[in-house]
Amino acid sequence: YQNFQKIILDELDKNQIDYEVNGTLEGKVSHHVLNLWLKGVGTYSALTNLDLSGYAVSGGSACTAGSLTPSHVLQAMYGEDSPRIEESIRISFGRFNTEEEIQEFAADLVKMCKRLAK
């Protein structure tokens, strides 16, 4: 899954998308999840656009899946007033995902960010 994370991050970097990883990718972390702050792209807009493109991503933690409530994890990490709270998505990878699917997702994520970023 680390390779999946790298594919997405490399594509964002290559296209100069303004983002930051929420949390860390170092050490003992779950590499099947990538949480990104997409600067200037509202969480709800990102979720809607990605859903319309056929992707299921989340704006919160796994325990609040299906809810539009801001991530309590991000609030605890960065504070309730952080722009990360309203501009982050959580991407989860499954064991049946392929590298080609992740490359396609990364390209669509870039297109969406370019279209929606304030």
Side-chain angles (χ1 to χ4, degrees):
Y1 299 120
Q2 281 178 294
N3 189 45
F4 290 171
Q5 291 175 336
K6 184 175 176 356
I7 289 169
I8 292 170
L9 299 177
D10 286 349
E11 190 70 15
L12 293 172
D13 289 338
K14 182 176 81 175
N15 287 278
Q16 300 176 333
I17 300 299
D18 196 8
Y19 78 94
E20 287 184 31
V21 173
N22 290 317
T24 182
L25 299 177
E26 304 301 320
K28 294 183 179 185
V29 298
S30 296
H31 293 289
H32 70 282
V33 175
L34 179 61
N35 196 306
L36 296 175
W37 174 22
L38 302 172
K39 297 179 185 181
V41 178
T43 300
Y44 183 74
S45 295
L47 296 179
T48 301
N49 277 266
L50 290 170
D51 181 60
L52 290 171
S53 295
Y55 301 108
V57 298
S58 175
S61 59
C63 55
T64 58
S67 168
L68 293 178
T69 306
S71 169
H72 66 280
V73 175
L74 293 180
Q75 287 177 339
M77 289 174 65
Y78 300 108
E80 290 182 15
D81 296 328
S82 173
R84 290 175 190 258
I85 307 307
E86 300 293 332
E87 298 178 345
S88 293
I89 63 169
R90 180 176 54 86
I91 305 158
S92 299
F93 310 108
R95 65 181 180 171
F96 297 113
N97 285 125
T98 65
E99 201 168 291
E100 293 76 25
E101 290 172 331
I102 302 305
Q103 289 169 338
E104 184 178 319
F105 170 79
D108 287 343
L109 182 64
V110 164
K111 288 178 200 169
M112 182 206 66
C113 288
K114 287 183 175 183
R115 190 174 66 252
L116 296 178
K118 297 176 193 167

